[in-house]
Amino acid sequence: MENKKMPLPIFSLRFKFITGLLLFAVALGICISIIIYFHLNHIMKSEISERSRMLLDQSSAVQSYVKTVLRPEMFKILPKDRFVLKAMSSSYISREVMASLNENNTSEFHYRRVSNKPRNPASTPNDFEKNLILIFNRDKTLETWEDNTMVGDKEYHLVAKPVTFNESCMQCHGDPKDAPKELKEIYGDKNGFNYTVGDVGGIVVAGFPLELIQRPVKEVTLQYLSLYFLGIMFFAALISLFFDRLVMKNLHNLTGIFKTRFSGRQEQGIIDRLGQKDEIEGLIEGVDELAICLSDVRNELEDYAQNLELKVEDRTKEIKLKAKKHLGDVRLFVKLLSGFTGSIDTKHLITHVLESVGNRFDADQVIYHCTVISENAYSWKSDNNISKLADDIKELLWTDEILIQENQLYIPIKSSESHWGILCIFWSKIPLLDDLDPAILLALGQQIGILIENIQAFSNIRFQNDMLQSIFEGISDPLLLIDSNCHIIIANKGSKSILTKKKRANQEKELKKFLCLENTSNGSFNILDQVIDKEKPMSEEIKTIDGRYFSIDLYPLPKRDQADLRIILSARNITMEKQMIARMQQTERLSSIGKMAAGIAHEINNPLGVIQCYTDLVKDAVKDPETLSDIDIILKHTRNVQTIVRDLLSLSRPKQVISGKCSINKVISKAIEVFKTQSASKEISVNSYLKNNLPDIKCDAAILEQILTNLWLNAFDAIQDSGGEINISTQLAKKDHVLLCIEDNGPGIPDHVISQIFDPFYTTKEVGKGTGLGLSVVYGFINEIGGRIEVESDETTVFNIFFPVDKTEDN
C-alpha cells in the first residue's frame, strides 16, 4: 500500500492574526513586568535605606538627649561619685530602647552598638563590625557607611555610623581616675576608658532584611502580570470579533463574489483552490491567476478593437458632421435671441430673422408671409415678384408639420397665443433632405413666433410707457410717486415748484416738511401716515412756510407683489384761487354794505342839510363867544358825518372805469413832502426806494394820492412809539404791473384780523379815532383800476399794491 501524506492543517487568517497578536502582547507584558520589577525594587531599596537611617537617627537622638540633658541633670542632683547606669549611660539606654522597639516591630530590624573596649560583653564587635571600626578610624571624614551584607543566614541592608568621643564623654571614658566610683564598681577600671577627644571607639549599625522588600516587589509584579494576561485575553476576544466583522466578513463576501461571478471552468478551478489556504494567500493566488485570465481576454479584445476602431472612426465622422449641423442650429437660435434685444419694432426683427435663416441654410431667398391682420410679405433679398400663398400652404398653420416642395421649404410661424405666418426658404438647387431636421425646423418656427409676439408686446408696452410719460410730464402741477418712507421714486418737472434742491436726499427732506406742516385749522397733522394706516385716498389743503396754499391728493396704489406701499402725490397750487375767492368775498361784502349804505346816506343827508342850515342861521344871530364855540363844534361833527356819508355813497355808487394815468414816483414824492411835517412831529422817518424809469400806471393821480393818504394815516396810527420807520419802494413786476410796497415797523396785524381789515366799518382803533372805511375805499379803488392788494404781517406790516401799466402809448 502506498503511504498517503497527511494534509497539513490549514490555519485561518484570523487564527494567525490573533496568535501573533497574543505572542506580541505576552512579550510586551513580560518586558513591562521586568521593568516594573526593577523599578519597584529600586524604590523599595530607597525606602529601606531611609528606614535604616531613621533607626540610626532615632538612636542618635536618644544618646544626644542622655548626653546633653539627662546626664548633666543627674550629675547636678547626685553626689559626686554616684552613677546611675539606667539613667546616665547613653549606650545602655539606647540599646534598651532599640531592643524594646524591635520587640514591638514585625519588620525585625537589626540594631547594634559596639566598641573596641566594651564594658558590656554584648557590645563586643564581630569581625564585620571590627572591620567597619577600622574603616571609620582610617577616614575620619566618613560619616556614614551603607551596603548589603549577611547577618546570620539573612541578607540585610545596613547603615553604620561611627561613635566619636567628645569632651562630654571624657568623664566616663577618659582617665579612670576621673570616672564616678560607682561606675568603676560596676564595670571596673579597665574597659571603656583611656579614650581621647575625637577617637572612634565604636560604631552604631542599623538595617532591615532584604526579603522585606523582595517579597512585596515579587508579589506586586506577579499580580500585575496576572491582570495583564487577563486583559490580553479579553482584548484578544474583542480583536477577534472586530477582525471577524471588518476583515473576515468582507473576505468571505469577496470569495462569494468570485464563486457567483466567475462560472467558467478555469475560474472554477481557481475558486476551488481558495479553500486550501488561508483567506489572504488564497485570494492573492486566485487574483494572480485571474489576472492571467484577464490578460488573455485583453489580448482577444485588442484584436477585436482593431476592427472596431474603423467602425468607431466612421461613426465619429458621422457624429461630428451632425454636431456641426446642430451647432449651426444653436448659433442660429442664439443669433435670433441676440437680434431680439436690439430690435426696435416688428419689421426690424423680421429683417434680422430672414437674414440669419438665409445664412444658416445657405438659401437663395427667404420670404415671410404675415397672415395676421394684414397680408404683408417681407423678403430677405429685394424681390418685387412675391406671389401670394396658396390655401393649402396656409393650412400648415393648423398642423405641426413642415412642407418641402422640390427646392422650396415652408415652415409655420406660430406661438402658443397666435398663428403669425409662413416662412418660405428657396434654393436654386434641390437641397439634401438629411440636412433638414423637421423637429428643429418646427422649433425654429415656434421660436420666431415667440420673438414676434414678444417684440409686439414690448412695442405696446413702450408705446404705453411713452404715452404715460408724456402725460406725466405734461401735467404742470407737481406729481410724484413716493413710498411709505417718503422716498421719491418718480417726480415730474412740475414738482420743482415744491422741490428746489438738486440732491434727492435734500428733496426728500423738503417733501417731508411739505407734507407735515400745519393746516388752515392750526392743527398738527401728517396726511402721509393717515394714508398708510387707512390705505385710502385722502385730500388736504396745506399752507407752506412761504405763504403758498396747496391742495394735496394722495392715492395709495395696490401692493400686489410689492412689500412696500407706493403712493401717488398730486399737489395743486391754489394760492391765486384763494386770493381770488377772498377778493370776491370782499367785493360781495362791499356791494351788500354799499347798498345798505346808500339807503342810510339818503336818509341822513336831508337831516344833516337842515342841521347845517339852521346852525349857520343861529351862528349869524348869536354874538356870545361860548355859544359860537359850541356852534362850531356842532358844525365840525356835522361835516364829519357828511364825510362819512360821502364815503358810504362812494361805496354804494356803481363802479365806473377810472380813466387817467400818472407817474407813480412823482405822486409819491409829492405825498412825502405833504406828510413830512406830520411825520417829523411824531418822530417817524419816511424812507423811499423808488425805481427809476418806471412806466406810467393806469390810475388817476388824485385817486393815487387818496390811496397813499389812507395807507400812510394807518401807518402813522400803528406806530405809537417814537423812532418809527416807514419804507416806501417801487419796482416793475412781471412787465405789466408796477409794485408799490409800503412797510412800517409797527406791532403788526394779528393773523385772525388780516382777513377782515378791508371790511367796511371794521377797525382796531379806539372808539372815535376811526371809521373803518379807509382800507375799504382803498380796496375799492384798486379793484376799479384792475390791480390787486396783498398784506403781509410778521415783525413788520407790508402792503403790496400792484398797479397795471398804462399801455395806451404803446398802442
Side-chain angles (χ1 to χ4, degrees):
M1 296 180 63
E2 295 181 357
N3 295 328
K4 294 183 179 180
K5 294 183 179 179
M6 296 294 292
L8 296 174
I10 300 174
F11 298 104
S12 66
L13 179 65
R14 177 172 56 190
F15 176 79
K16 293 179 180 179
F17 177 77
I18 297 301
T19 303
L21 185 65
L22 286 175
L23 291 175
F24 175 77
V26 169
L28 180 63
I30 293 173
C31 292
I32 293 174
S33 299
I34 293 172
I35 293 171
I36 291 174
Y37 173 79
F38 283 104
H39 179 67
L40 292 177
N41 193 42
H42 175 72
I43 293 174
M44 293 304 291
K45 282 183 178 180
S46 299
E47 179 68 21
I48 202 170
S49 175
E50 289 296 326
R51 289 187 181 185
S52 301
R53 290 177 182 273
M54 287 179 64
L55 282 176
L56 290 179
D57 292 339
Q58 185 177 1
S59 175
S60 299
V62 172
Q63 292 180 5
S64 177
Y65 178 76
V66 173
K67 292 176 181 180
T68 59
V69 178
L70 190 57
R71 186 187 294 168
E73 190 66 26
M74 293 297 289
F75 278 130
K76 290 179 183 180
I77 298 173
L78 296 176
K80 181 177 180 182
D81 292 331
R82 286 296 307 274
F83 184 82
V84 180
L85 180 64
K86 297 180 179 180
M88 299 175 69
S89 174
S90 61
S91 300
Y92 179 85
I93 294 173
S94 62
R95 187 165 46 251
E96 292 297 324
V97 170
M98 299 305 292
S100 175
L101 179 63
N102 202 8
E103 292 177 358
N104 300 326
N105 198 330
T106 59
S107 59
E108 298 180 356
F109 64 84
H110 174 76
Y111 176 81
R112 289 268 292 167
R113 182 181 175 89
V114 298
S115 64
N116 288 329
K117 298 180 285 184
R119 289 173 177 165
N120 188 347
S123 298
T124 302
N126 55 26
D127 293 339
F128 171 71
E129 292 167 346
K130 289 179 180 180
N131 188 33
L132 285 179
I133 294 173
L134 289 176
I135 291 173
F136 283 114
N137 276 318
R138 291 193 202 102
D139 187 2
K140 296 295 181 68
T141 60
L142 184 63
E143 296 181 354
T144 306
W145 176 91
E146 184 175 3
D147 201 354
N148 297 335
T149 186
M150 296 296 294
V151 179
D153 58 349
K154 291 185 179 181
E155 187 177 7
Y156 278 78
H157 182 83
L158 298 180
V159 179
K161 285 187 177 182
V163 177
T164 305
F165 292 97
N166 53 27
E167 188 65 34
S168 63
C169 300
M170 290 298 99
Q171 185 176 2
C172 297
H173 295 281
D175 191 349
K177 297 177 181 181
D178 299 330
K181 182 179 179 180
E182 188 171 348
L183 177 62
K184 290 186 286 184
E185 291 177 354
I186 297 173
Y187 293 110
D189 56 357
K190 300 297 183 182
N191 293 329
F193 291 104
N194 299 317
Y195 287 105
T196 61
V197 176
D199 288 343
V200 178
I203 59 172
V204 180
V205 180
F208 290 87
L210 287 177
E211 66 177 8
L212 184 67
I213 63 172
Q214 293 174 349
R215 185 172 61 253
V217 168
K218 291 179 181 178
E219 291 176 355
V220 170
T221 303
L222 290 175
Q223 290 175 1
Y224 169 78
L225 193 58
S226 301
L227 292 174
Y228 179 79
F229 282 139
L230 290 176
I232 285 297
M233 298 303 293
F234 179 72
F235 178 72
L238 291 179
I239 289 296
S240 177
L241 292 175
F242 180 74
F243 188 82
D244 189 38
R245 285 270 186 169
L246 184 65
V247 178
M248 298 302 296
K249 184 178 180 180
N250 293 328
L251 289 176
H252 291 157
N253 293 336
L254 184 59
T255 303
I257 292 173
F258 272 98
K259 292 179 179 179
T260 56
R261 299 297 173 88
F262 298 97
S263 57
R265 292 182 179 179
Q266 187 177 2
E267 293 86 350
Q268 193 64 38
I270 296 172
I271 293 170
D272 292 338
R273 289 194 294 273
L274 291 178
Q276 298 176 3
K277 297 182 180 181
D278 68 52
E279 291 81 353
I280 293 296
E281 292 177 353
L283 284 175
I284 291 174
E285 185 175 344
V287 169
D288 184 44
E289 294 187 10
L290 285 175
I292 296 173
C293 295
L294 291 175
S295 177
D296 296 338
V297 174
R298 185 187 64 181
N299 294 331
E300 295 177 0
L301 288 175
E302 286 179 354
D303 295 338
Y304 178 77
Q306 291 178 355
N307 298 326
L308 186 63
E309 285 180 358
L310 299 175
K311 297 180 181 180
V312 171
E313 185 177 357
D314 295 338
R315 182 59 179 166
T316 302
K317 291 180 180 179
E318 183 180 351
I319 292 174
K320 285 183 178 180
L321 182 60
K322 289 185 177 181
K324 186 176 181 181
K325 295 177 181 179
H326 289 309
L327 181 61
D329 295 330
V330 172
R331 289 176 178 172
L332 174 60
F333 280 89
V334 172
K335 195 170 183 180
L336 293 178
L337 292 175
S338 64
F340 169 75
T341 58
S343 300
I344 58 176
D345 53 20
T346 305
K347 183 178 180 181
H348 186 273
L349 174 66
I350 292 175
T351 301
H352 173 76
V353 168
L354 296 180
E355 181 181 0
S356 301
V357 171
N359 293 330
R360 162 64 184 90
F361 295 104
D362 196 17
D364 295 318
Q365 178 64 291
V366 182
I367 299 174
Y368 169 68
H369 294 271
C370 180
T371 60
V372 178
I373 302 176
S374 64
E375 295 290 337
N376 294 333
Y378 303 89
S379 63
W380 171 32
K381 297 178 180 179
S382 58
D383 191 351
N384 296 325
N385 299 321
I386 300 177
S387 58
K388 293 185 177 180
L389 287 176
D391 294 336
D392 59 338
I393 296 177
K394 291 181 179 181
E395 292 297 324
L396 290 175
L397 290 172
W398 309 103
T399 62
D400 291 330
E401 297 177 355
I402 61 172
L403 178 62
I404 300 176
Q405 293 181 349
E406 296 182 354
N407 61 340
Q408 299 177 6
L409 172 64
Y410 298 94
I411 302 172
I413 307 298
K414 58 183 179 178
S415 64
S416 59
E417 300 293 333
S418 180
H419 297 72
W420 299 98
I422 301 295
L423 182 67
C424 306
I425 304 176
F426 299 91
W427 293 273
S428 58
K429 297 180 180 179
I430 299 176
L432 295 176
L433 297 179
D434 294 341
D435 190 27
L436 303 176
D437 189 343
I440 293 179
L441 294 175
L442 288 174
L444 175 63
Q446 292 178 357
Q447 184 65 37
I448 296 174
I450 293 172
L451 292 178
I452 294 174
E453 183 178 27
N454 290 340
I455 196 66
Q456 288 197 353
F458 178 73
S459 299
N460 293 333
I461 292 173
R462 185 168 54 190
F463 173 75
Q464 293 177 2
N465 181 68
D466 293 341
M467 182 176 64
L468 290 175
Q469 187 67 26
S470 301
I471 295 172
F472 186 76
E473 292 295 341
I475 297 174
S476 59
D477 293 330
L479 187 63
L480 303 94
L481 178 63
I482 62 175
D483 61 10
S484 58
N485 294 319
C486 209
H487 294 154
I488 300 174
I489 301 173
I490 305 175
N492 69 346
K493 294 180 180 179
S495 62
K496 293 181 180 179
S497 62
I498 60 174
L499 305 177
T500 59
K501 306 295 184 180
K502 292 184 178 180
K503 293 184 177 180
R504 182 56 62 90
N506 295 332
Q507 290 180 350
E508 290 175 357
K509 292 180 180 179
E510 281 186 308
L511 183 60
K512 289 179 180 179
K513 293 180 180 179
F514 179 77
L515 292 175
C516 303
L517 297 175
E518 292 184 351
N519 61 5
T520 53
S521 61
N522 296 327
S524 178
F525 78 105
N526 189 332
I527 185 174
L528 184 60
D529 289 342
Q530 297 179 29
V531 173
I532 294 172
D533 292 339
K534 299 179 181 179
E535 294 189 9
K536 292 182 179 180
M538 294 194 69
S539 301
E540 288 287 349
E541 288 187 7
I542 64 172
K543 181 181 180 182
T544 61
I545 297 176
D546 56 2
R548 293 182 296 171
Y549 291 88
F550 284 87
S551 175
I552 302 296
D553 294 298
L554 293 178
Y555 302 93
L557 299 178
K559 283 188 177 181
R560 295 180 182 175
D561 296 335
Q562 300 177 113
D564 196 8
L565 185 66
R566 297 289 189 269
I567 302 169
I568 296 176
L569 187 153
S570 174
R572 186 168 60 88
N573 192 335
I574 58 172
T575 305
M576 296 298 295
E577 294 179 12
K578 293 186 75 67
Q579 292 175 353
M580 185 177 296
I581 291 173
R583 287 196 291 269
M584 290 175 61
Q585 292 174 348
Q586 182 69 23
T587 303
E588 290 176 359
R589 286 198 298 269
L590 290 175
S591 176
S592 61
I593 293 174
K595 293 178 180 179
M596 179 186 68
I600 296 174
H602 178 73
E603 296 296 331
I604 293 176
N605 261 337
N606 292 332
L608 286 176
V610 174
I611 293 171
Q612 187 174 7
C613 179
Y614 279 95
T615 304
D616 290 336
L617 292 175
V618 173
K619 184 177 180 180
D620 293 338
V622 176
K623 302 297 183 180
D624 183 27
E626 293 182 2
T627 304
L628 290 174
S629 177
D630 294 335
I631 293 172
D632 289 335
I633 292 173
I634 294 173
L635 286 173
K636 176 183 177 183
H637 287 284
T638 302
R639 294 190 185 97
N640 288 338
V641 174
Q642 288 177 338
T643 302
I644 293 173
V645 171
R646 187 168 55 252
D647 291 337
L648 289 173
L649 289 174
S650 64
L651 287 173
S652 61
R653 190 179 297 118
K655 305 302 180 186
Q656 298 178 357
V657 178
I658 299 176
S659 60
K661 62 179 181 177
C662 67
S663 172
I664 188 171
N665 288 345
K666 291 181 180 179
V667 175
I668 292 172
S669 300
K670 291 180 181 180
I672 290 174
E673 291 296 327
V674 172
F675 287 95
K676 183 184 295 184
T677 303
Q678 186 176 359
S679 60
S681 64
K682 293 188 176 183
E683 298 182 1
I684 297 174
S685 61
V686 179
N687 305 314
S688 60
Y689 305 94
L690 307 179
K691 191 73 173 180
N692 295 327
N693 301 321
L694 290 177
D696 291 343
I697 62 173
K698 187 179 178 182
C699 180
D700 186 74
I703 294 176
L704 179 58
E705 288 177 358
Q706 189 173 353
I707 292 171
L708 292 173
T709 300
N710 283 321
L711 293 176
W712 274 340
L713 290 176
N714 282 342
F716 287 155
D717 292 338
I719 301 173
Q720 299 174 356
D721 300 331
S722 60
E725 185 177 2
I726 298 176
N727 296 321
I728 304 172
S729 63
T730 58
Q731 61 180 341
L732 187 63
K734 298 182 180 179
K735 296 183 180 181
D736 56 353
H737 283 80
V738 174
L739 173 61
L740 168 63
C741 297
I742 300 178
E743 179 183 9
D744 66 74
N745 60 348
I749 304 173
D751 293 339
H752 64 281
V753 173
I754 288 182
S755 60
Q756 305 177 40
I757 60 175
F758 295 110
D759 293 344
F761 307 111
Y762 180 83
T763 179
T764 58
K765 300 177 183 179
E766 298 178 2
V767 179
K769 291 188 176 181
T771 62
L773 294 173
L775 290 178
S776 300
V777 173
V778 171
Y779 189 85
F781 285 145
I782 297 300
N783 279 339
E784 289 181 36
I785 64 175
R788 72 177 189 276
I789 182 170
E790 298 175 355
V791 184
E792 298 176 3
S793 183
D794 190 3
E795 296 180 357
T796 61
T797 301
V798 182
F799 283 85
N800 296 318
I801 307 173
F802 295 85
F803 292 95
V805 173
D806 181 66
K807 297 182 180 180
T808 54
E809 295 182 359
D810 298 337
N811 296 332

